[in-house]
Amino acid sequence: MAKGGSVESVAGRYETMLDALSSLITKRSRADKSNKGDRFDLLYDYLKILELEDAISELKIIHVAGTKGKGSTCTFAESILRNCGFRTGLFTSPHLIDVRERFRLDGVEISEEKFLEYFWWCYDRLKEKTSDDVPMPTYFRFLALLAFKIFAAEKVDVAILEVGLGGRFDATNVVQAPIVCGVSSLGYDHMEILGNTLGEIAGEKAGIFKHEIPAFTVPQPDEAMKVLEEKALKLNVNLQVARPIDASSLNGLKLALEGEHQYLNAGLAVALCTAWLQRTGHPIDNFNQTGPLPEPFIKGLTTASLQGRAQIVHDQFTDIGSVGDLVFYLDGAHSPESMEACAKWFSLCTRDDNHQPSLNSEAQQQADERSKDTTQILLFNCMSVRDPQLLLPRLLRTCASHGVHFKKALFVPNISVYHKVGSHTLPTVDPQVDLSWQFALQRVWENLMQSDKGGEASNTDQVCEEVKDDSGMSARCCKNSSVFSSLPSAIKWLRDTAQKDRFVRFQVLVTGSLHLVGDVLRLIKK
């Protein structure tokens, strides 16, 4: 269809594109051992087909791997270099609402028109030239190739690439000569693919190191650091440890991304950007490591944005007459370490939200008149390859240590389906959805509450009852938790509960899965 068609035609073309992209998702389990490596050499065939070999070699790339914090690090780095006056390209994953979120040009996700143009340019050429020997690339590999095409065609000054999974066999690792590499905090995640020890995981992440290309990491556990140093030594890589930035270096401003751990990610981003500037002929004059950061660095760190990480959204659909009666705190934490960081952030945020200082005594009096009790609720799901016995206790006990106790936990299946990329329209709820995993999560939660180690509630009666929600679908309620058959029904329950009790502010922590966070954002922002 010709460009410049109607709005409907663009929407239709976009849905057609999403169907084509969905066709590249393999039905194979992510934990399938044969995923390892998975004919990595095919990526070089794809680059030849798309005539991207020279273009990639000309890109000035920052490449970042890690278990947690790599998305935040990349986001900070992009914002810093954009504020230094460079044209930036940022490739991250996963997306939360729209696949275009993965591709940012100068800090803004790529437009639908541009995305469609580049998508079909790559897809059609690959469809034409691939064969039984060189099949179509799988979903993430295609997206990485698309990122290279977009950044080369748009002539970005710097391309910042977040590794999707691991490092050594990740599609982004087709890059031969980045300007600088980074490894954010390492921990236990994706163990079904990357290995069962921190050493094995570190070895996969260090797979992005390139001969004599400088690299930075953050303070790591000894086991992980030893492996990173060994890999660096073999490749003659100058590996340095970036320290967290000091809050005083921001001239009284706050990091744009919430949470104590972000000072670590910001420190890594500052080190990566400083090295990139030096190696591309733009060194910073009189950069004092102990004083305030350069102005563009401060602006970059204090204005960066990343959806679904320590994000607070006030619900707009609770018609209660005063703001803040139903507030969602969204964080895509899904490893034990990030769960602990999420719990600290939520605890501190809810404490601060509940003790806002007033400007004067009259305002204080008005605030007191309308002051509300607060109730904390957990909305949770995680993928079945993760261990809730590692995630939920960490969350519960960290919150409890800060005086935050959940009144109820809600367990839901994701709306997102893993064999299809989400479209603009919300999918209908599957009446045959399998809730066995959510029931398993609920059992873990009820046992934790009963154990009298983390929550207020103890000696709870674990008798659960099956009830019907408003859509007629089954849900299961226990003393401290409920399983809902769909996310929309859980959101409706939250809104109805907030409507019924106008003297309570409901603070809902949404965590365990970036897919869940994305689904919630789609529902509450629509």
Side-chain angles (χ1 to χ4, degrees), residues 248-284:
S248 63
S249 67
L250 297 173
N251 275 347
L253 298 174
K254 285 179 63 177
L255 283 179
L257 305 183
E258 294 274 355
E260 293 172 34
H261 58 290
Q262 294 296 0
Y263 287 93
L264 198 64
N265 299 327
L268 181 55
V270 165
L272 291 169
C273 290
T274 304
W276 186 90
L277 288 164
Q278 288 171 341
R279 299 197 76 226
T280 56
H282 305 91
I284 308 167

Side-chain angles (χ1 to χ4, degrees), residues 225-402:
M225 188 62 82
K226 184 168 179 278
V227 173
L228 293 180
E229 289 170 343
E230 286 170 356
K231 297 279 185 183
L233 191 62
K234 283 180 184 173
L235 292 167
N236 200 22
V237 165
N238 179 16
L239 176 65
Q240 297 179 59
V241 176
R243 298 295 171 183
I245 66 161
D246 193 289
S248 63
S249 67
L250 297 173
N251 275 347
L253 298 174
K254 285 179 63 177
L255 283 179
L257 305 183
E258 294 274 355
E260 293 172 34
H261 58 290
Q262 294 296 0
Y263 287 93
L264 198 64
N265 299 327
L268 181 55
V270 165
L272 291 169
C273 290
T274 304
W276 186 90
L277 288 164
Q278 288 171 341
R279 299 197 76 226
T280 56
H282 305 91
I284 308 167
D285 295 329
N286 305 318
F287 184 13
N288 184 350
Q289 297 286 346
T290 56
L293 289 164
E295 198 57 42
F297 280 53
I298 294 174
K299 191 172 182 190
L301 292 171
T302 57
T303 60
S305 64
L306 185 61
Q307 275 206 115
R309 276 79 162 187
Q311 183 177 3
I312 302 173
V313 179
H314 293 260
D315 188 51
Q316 302 300 309
F317 289 79
T318 41
D319 183 22
I320 299 178
S322 63
V323 176
D325 298 89
L326 179 57
V327 186
F328 291 92
Y329 298 77
L330 304 114
D331 191 86
H334 50 264
S335 71
E337 297 86 359
S338 58
M339 197 60 65
E340 185 171 326
C342 167
K344 285 180 184 172
W345 163 73
F346 177 67
S347 301
L348 294 172
C349 275
T350 50
R351 184 193 68 189
D352 292 345
D353 289 353
N354 299 337
H355 298 92
Q356 291 286 356
S358 295
L359 296 175
N360 54 53
S361 58
E362 185 182 346
Q364 181 65 57
Q365 186 178 353
Q366 291 173 353
D368 288 342
E369 286 172 1
R370 64 173 187 267
S371 66
K372 302 191 176 198
D373 292 329
T374 60
T375 293
Q376 288 80 40
I377 294 175
L378 175 66
L379 181 58
F380 187 91
N381 192 33
C382 65
M383 295 178 68
S384 57
V385 292
R386 310 206 188 281
D387 185 354
Q389 300 279 9
L390 293 176
L391 301 181
L392 290 173
R394 204 84 167 251
L395 173 70
L396 195 59
R397 288 160 194 164
T398 304
C399 283
S401 72
H402 287 78

Side-chain angles (χ1 to χ4, degrees), residues 18-36 38-39 42 46 135-143 165 193 383 417-421:
L18 290 172
D19 286 339
L21 182 56
S22 296
S23 72
L24 303 178
I25 299 177
T26 57
K27 304 299 188 287
R28 210 170 37 170
S29 163
R30 229 170 40 139
D32 186 335
K33 293 296 181 189
S34 63
N35 277 344
K36 209 154 193 174
D38 205 17
R39 292 190 65 194
L42 283 174
Y46 301 140
M136 280 292 283
T138 50
Y139 173 71
F140 184 79
R141 287 184 174 182
F142 178 85
L143 292 177
L165 174 63
I193 297 172
M383 295 178 68
V417 284
Y418 296 103
H419 59 273
K420 184 161 190 337
V421 185

